[in-house]
Amino acid sequence: MLNNIKRNLLTWMVPGILFCAGFSDVHHESHRPSFWKTDGTLYMHYFEEKTDSLSGPEIYELKDAEGLTIWFGRYIFKDVCISGECKMIRLWLFWDGAGNYLGMELPKGEPLTKSDHTEFDHADYAKLEDILRDTSSLLKDLKQEELVMVPDTINPYEVDGYTAATRPGLDQVVVKDAVYTCYTLWHTVYGPVRSYLMETLESRINSGYLNLLFKSKDPALTSFAMEAVRKNPEYHSEFYPRIAGEVLSENHSLAGQALDYFVPSRMVSEEEQQLLCSLIPHADAQKKYGIIWKLQETGNVHETVVLQMLRYSEGGELGIGSLNLVYRLIQPEFMDRNQEMKSILDRFSVHENPYIRNLTARLLGNRH
Amino acid sequence: MRKVFAIFTFVLFSLLGICQPSGSVFLEAESFGNKGGWVVDQQFMDLMGSSYLLAHGMGIPVADAETMVEFPSSGEYNVFVRTFNWTAPWYKGEGPGKFRLSVNGVKTGPVLGAADAQWFWQNAGKVKISDKKVRVGLHDLTGFNGRVDAIYFTMGTTAPPPEPEALEKFRKQMLKIPETPANAGSFDLVVVGGGVAGTAAAIAAARLGIKVALIQDRPVLGGNNSSEVRVHLGGRIHVDPFPALGAVVNEIGPTRGGNAQPADYYEDEKKMEMVLAEENITLFANFRAYAVKTSGSRITEVHARHIETAEELAFKAPLFADCTGDGTIGFLAGADFAMGREGIDEFGEPTAPEKADKMTMGSSVQWYSIEENQASSFPEFKYGVDFNEVNAQKVTMGEWTWETGMFLDQIYDFERIRDYGLLVVYSNWSFLKNHSSVKENYKNRRLEWVAYVAGKRESRRLLGDHILTEMDITNFVIYPDASAPTTWSIDLHYPDPKNTEHFPGNEFKSIAVHKNIHPYPIPYRCFYSRNIDNLFMAGRNISVTHVALGTVRVMRTTGIMGEVVGMAASLAAKHSTTPRGVYQNHLEELKTLMNKGVGKYDAEDIQNYNLGGTLGPRK
Ligand SMILES: Cc1cc2nc3c(=O)[nH]c(=O)nc-3n(C[C@H](O)[C@H](O)[C@H](O)COP(=O)(O)OP(=O)(O)OC[C@H]3O[C@@H](n4cnc5c(N)ncnc54)[C@H](O)[C@@H]3O)c2cc1C
């Protein structure tokens, strides 16, 4: 599959190529984006976008030595107006190897400007970055003509709502006096280029590539990999242990995504359940409970896994607040045949803590 | 055994029904030995005199309820059944709550439950009794909330009296309920209401060594946070200036958030076992407090009735805590209370309306559906609220935004409010399943759960030595008796304007308007009555204005209030004083307890969901 892509690429084997020469006047020089790297191998994709004939037909991709994408970049040349007064914007937009918006670079001496021709200041750029990072921005579902409320007498397409009022509710989420710029850039970031990038990235999915993605430890790439495994069940058996490992990630959103991956249909086997269960001693309280609830959702937790949970309860790896949940996992026949489980429950039934004692007595059906 | 007093006593009553002299038999439906699929509904006991059986099948007829009855003699009996047509306020024709009576398995008399707009004794025809031991049954015909309070078999021709007081007398006489309730035992503190507030109050007091009776009118604890109502805990615990508060809330609180989720989310068993683990608590589940005795400005007894057996008990104690949510105990004792919205002139609250009015936040009948592998049908349900393409709610669940009754009385109109909640859920669902342009999407969806215990947000607020106002909170006025911190925004609900467009005056959806606050410690004086000397309160019925209720009403906060009340009660008991006495003479001791907390199990903090936004600690 990779070959396939390569065929479409004009490969520039120029490590560290400075195709950005002339764009050194970064809008926020002092905060040069962390993604910024030019070390690697630069590839060019031919990409023709009919609705955007001004921008060139190239998307650049910088890959590292392993073949992982560092970024995709495209030079955008667009007019931000529909009729009347127009202004051109020229800039580079970048996406990461998972298709997420990374950042922008502006040509030297060509800052973004507002409807009153003043230049964007630092705060405006920062706000614009936030807007472009927001995948579910309010701008998503709006049509261009819905951006401003225009008095009847005024040309509705005056740039950036120069004379018209920004639609109520929107003014909080766009850069003041730059509503069309925000809108145009948001829809460029999440428009056809992105669809192309996602298709390209998804077409690369195979076992080797997934391994690379997981190995990268990059949160965005890891998240992309997990999503790819979710969408392509044929990779589940190979990669679920990697995903389980991510449950312990300190990155809250990665950990949540990893735990969400484990729906009942992906936790049928004893190995799958046991693996999740084995994370418990290393997990914080919230994750422990997340794992227990996941197991409960399966409706059928294997005996060895339940036993392990009971051991954790007795050993203190699971706190008292989870005992009732662990008991929900016990099936009557486990208690009949599993000696170790029986012993733990017997000890709990005479525990000095009355809550544990009572709960266990209720489970055993003979309240003391 | 002593602790679960409530659970077992009804068996004695239900074995053979209750046989009365004088050629008649009075049968309470809720005391049927086998309730089949019918459920016991006690919510409106104070309004219509009794708990009753409800056929809550969500459109699928429920299994028959049956009981054995011993008749005084064989012969022909006239039968009367106390019921009514619950959709009558909105639809003039026959209602959906239809059921029939059966005797020894044979259906008898007419279809019942579909007529009359108020509880009444419906004539159910005649029945011949040949063998004195008879099996009486209730056969639901629709699954749409038919209801039966009682059945009266008589050789005479007169139905029991309809008026509440006369009926109450008649009921007691027929069921041979003693004039004086039996003594429930002796306690230091009687907590009425086992929601999060009452449960936490009982546990805190018990851990500090006093004897507590906890009276709860349902078989489970937790109130709105139980699997019967399914509201998740909100707000924060472990907050300055008393970070030790909230330990009990953490111990009893479910570990997972979400409104209107499957029952197991709410971990009823945890709350129950936490209470039963306390030696000093005697739990009276299924008992509803309905009367008080007072002497001067003190409560001397609370009387409670079992919701199935009608057994009555008297609870004596020097101290009582009203955690009913409705301020019922205070109200019965003559405590000062407020209800509705204060006008701006009363306290000068910026958020208050110009003029006082009776509006409150509403109640919710939450619900959800599930997707199944096969198609399922749902009956036509059209009883006065019509849904169409424009006004239908094309959703698969309804949680807190399904809220109604803001302009009705949350006490006296409560049955109607709950019923309207049911009506709109069924009517909307019926439209979606049978007529909607998107009915294909609902083909395999089945209504899995609809609450019949409505979640209430607001009714009476009992007035204390301090009434917490909006400015106390927003100006961060710290009183010397600062105690339980409230953290949730001032979150007040109004009818959803979009819903008003389609259902003016009959809205069933709401919006919330939030005003964030700095975590604010509520003065202890909001937790006891200003004119009933030995009455504490915790929960949503504390001494606050309507606006201030917007923040304090969430359940981690009501639980923390419960902890403070439990602590104060232990001090009042120790020093033989009143709740006010604790404020006047033992405040420092209370602070010591609040600093220490009453956590017992060193449980990890698992209350991390639905914390709500705050402005952060006030510098
Ligand atoms: C749909 C909905 C969504 C909400 N969302 C949230 C949320 O997200 N988070 C949050 O924390 N709060 C939320 N709330 C608010 C919160 O649930 C209420 O304020 C709650 O009532 C506060 O708890 P409580 O203990 O005071 O009362 P309750 O939970 O009402 O408990 C009172 C208990 O007393 C019992 N009782 C009443 N009268 C008697 C009597 N006479 N005798 C014996 N027992 C009696 C009742 O059956 C009940 O169990 C919501 C409320 C609703 C309805």
Side-chain angles (χ1 to χ4, degrees), chain A residues 64 66 68 210-223 225 242 245-246 249 251 254:
Chain A
D64 68 11
E66 303 253 39
L68 276 180
L210 286 170
N211 257 313
L212 280 182
L213 291 171
F214 279 113
K215 247 176 60 189
S216 73
K217 299 267 184 258
D218 177 280
L221 299 187
T222 308
S223 165
R242 304 291 281 260
E246 291 302 328
S249 166
N251 180 321
L254 269 191

Side-chain angles (χ1 to χ4, degrees), chain A residues 38-49:
Chain A
T38 51
D39 292 347
T41 311
L42 194 66
Y43 296 79
M44 193 188 79
H45 301 240
Y46 179 77
F47 175 72
E48 197 178 12
E49 189 184 350

Side-chain angles (χ1 to χ4, degrees), chain B residues 76 81 105 112 127 145 159 161 207 245 280-281 294-295 334-335 344 349 374 428 483 503 551 579 582 587 590:
Chain B
E76 191 172 65
V81 174
L112 303 165
V127 60
N145 299 81
R207 288 183 182 175
L245 292 177
N280 283 333
I281 300 181
T294 53
S295 164
I344 199 162
E349 293 176 301
Q374 71 286 352
N428 184 59
S483 67
F503 306 95
T551 162
V582 173
L587 200 53
L590 179 61

Side-chain angles (χ1 to χ4, degrees), chain B residues 217-238:
Chain B
D217 64 0
R218 296 298 305 168
V220 294
L221 293 166
N224 281 0
N225 183 240
S226 70
S227 64
E228 297 191 318
V229 185
R230 306 193 188 182
V231 176
H232 60 168
L233 298 184
R236 292 162 194 244
I237 55 175
H238 303 320

Side-chain angles (χ1 to χ4, degrees), chain A residues 293 296-297 321 324 328 362, chain B residues 255-256 264 269-270 273:
Chain A
W293 280 104
Q296 187 184 310
E297 274 163 22
N324 62 317
R328 288 178 184 181
R362 181 189 283 227
Chain B
T255 56
R256 189 182 201 187
D264 58 14
E269 78 274 28
K270 181 183 278 175
E273 291 299 342

